[in-house]
Amino acid sequence: MASQKAASPEMQNFLVQQQAKAQLQQTISRLTDECWTKCIGNPGNYMSSKEQSCMDNCARRFLESTQFVVKYFQAKANTSQHSDF
């Protein structure tokens, strides 16, 4: 079996950045799908003010909810790490 070298710090950083980009793209796609379905009745050449307002509110709520969940689980992870001592 060939020995494997540890990934360089640059490669590790690159992989972390690529994962973050993929997660962001996935979040944007999910946000777009959910808000579009909720707010846009019949697509036309432009969005009505009601549709624009709905999309804005939907996106804000989606992002706020996502941030809340991320912070909640980060806090839980930090608490569980500190309780191991």
Side-chain angles (χ1 to χ4, degrees):
M1 213 196 261
S3 64
Q4 292 182 340
K5 292 183 180 180
S8 70
E10 293 84 14
M11 179 57 80
Q12 290 175 351
N13 187 37
F14 174 77
L15 293 174
V16 167
Q17 289 176 354
Q18 292 304 309
Q19 276 185 314
K21 285 180 184 179
Q23 287 177 324
L24 178 61
Q25 289 173 339
Q26 184 180 26
T27 299
I28 291 170
S29 177
R30 210 172 117 219
L31 178 146
T32 302
D33 288 343
E34 289 183 22
C35 293
W36 184 270
T37 300
K38 179 179 180 176
C39 297
I40 307 299
N42 295 316
N45 293 332
Y46 64 92
M47 288 193 295
S48 69
S49 61
K50 181 179 176 183
E51 290 170 330
Q52 290 176 3
S53 178
C54 180
M55 289 290 286
D56 183 53
N57 290 332
C58 180
R60 286 177 195 269
R61 284 193 310 269
F62 182 90
L63 293 174
E64 288 170 357
S65 298
T66 301
Q67 288 175 340
F68 175 80
V69 169
V70 167
K71 287 179 182 178
Y72 173 80
F73 284 110
Q74 284 175 340
K76 270 190 101 61
N78 288 338
T79 301
S80 68
Q81 286 177 350
H82 294 300
S83 67
D84 289 343
F85 290 109

